[in-house]
Amino acid sequence: MDDYYYRSAINIFVHTILNHLHQMPGEPKRYVSLTVLMPNVYSQSQVSRNLRYMSEDMDSMLGSGMYDSIAGYEIQSISESDASFLGIMNTEGTERKDGLYLIMDAGKGTLDSSVVRVDNKGQRLYTGLFRFGSVGAGAALSY
């Protein structure tokens, strides 16, 4: 039963995005690239399940002809703490040094952390080495 409600929420999310993109003026056919934030507390199987559900919903909705302005799509995920890191690294004036970084993202319900290696080589490349998430710790640390 929980999966039904969860899947319904994902379906509404995908429908809302497609509806918004379909109504935007511009190219007659466009490709959609979705990057979805995933909490570090999700296991790889949970992340894969979410991406599979979104992909199945996109296929179904695009196959219905309802969104004929959307020519194709791709879906990828990024952890919340990696996204925080990228946000900081893309802030103007931030010094970008090669090395290892520990990122801690304390939200209202979770504490997400990542260890990331930066190896610029002229391109600002990063590699996530380790991710960890803890439910309930975020609220305690954010006050």
Side-chain angles (χ1 to χ4, degrees):
M1 192 63 130
D2 289 337
D3 205 41
Y4 170 80
Y5 294 111
Y6 186 76
R7 182 77 191 258
S8 295
I10 288 175
N11 186 276
I12 290 168
F13 172 73
V14 169
H15 176 72
T16 301
I17 289 170
L18 288 177
N19 193 42
H20 177 73
L21 292 172
H22 179 69
Q23 293 178 15
M24 289 176 60
E27 300 293 321
K29 291 277 190 180
R30 67 181 52 156
Y31 291 87
V32 178
S33 178
L34 293 174
T35 302
V36 183
L37 280 124
M38 297 285 180
N40 290 16
V41 296
Y42 281 14
S43 67
Q44 186 57 49
S45 65
Q46 288 172 304
V47 170
S48 295
R49 181 183 70 170
N50 287 340
L51 296 177
R52 185 181 72 247
Y53 285 170
M54 286 181 200
S55 182
E56 289 171 359
D57 288 350
M58 291 283 274
D59 288 342
S60 174
M61 290 177 201
L62 293 178
S64 73
M66 191 169 157
Y67 300 105
D68 57 353
S69 65
I70 311 282
Y73 70 92
E74 69 176 357
I75 301 173
Q76 58 189 354
S77 67
I78 186 169
S79 75
E80 289 181 344
S81 53
D82 285 8
S84 296
F85 172 75
L86 291 175
I88 291 167
M89 292 301 278
N90 287 317
T91 301
E92 191 172 325
T94 300
E95 189 174 355
R96 297 168 182 91
K97 292 184 178 180
D98 288 358
L100 293 175
Y101 291 82
L102 169 64
I103 302 94
M104 298 182 76
D105 177 17
K108 291 295 181 193
T110 61
L111 171 64
D112 295 317
S113 58
S114 293
V115 175
V116 175
R117 178 187 313 277
V118 174
D119 188 5
N120 285 307
K121 294 184 183 170
Q123 297 183 15
R124 281 199 279 172
L125 300 175
Y126 86 97
T127 305
L129 301 176
F130 176 77
R131 289 178 187 85
F132 174 76
S134 177
V135 176
L141 291 174
S142 60
Y143 292 106

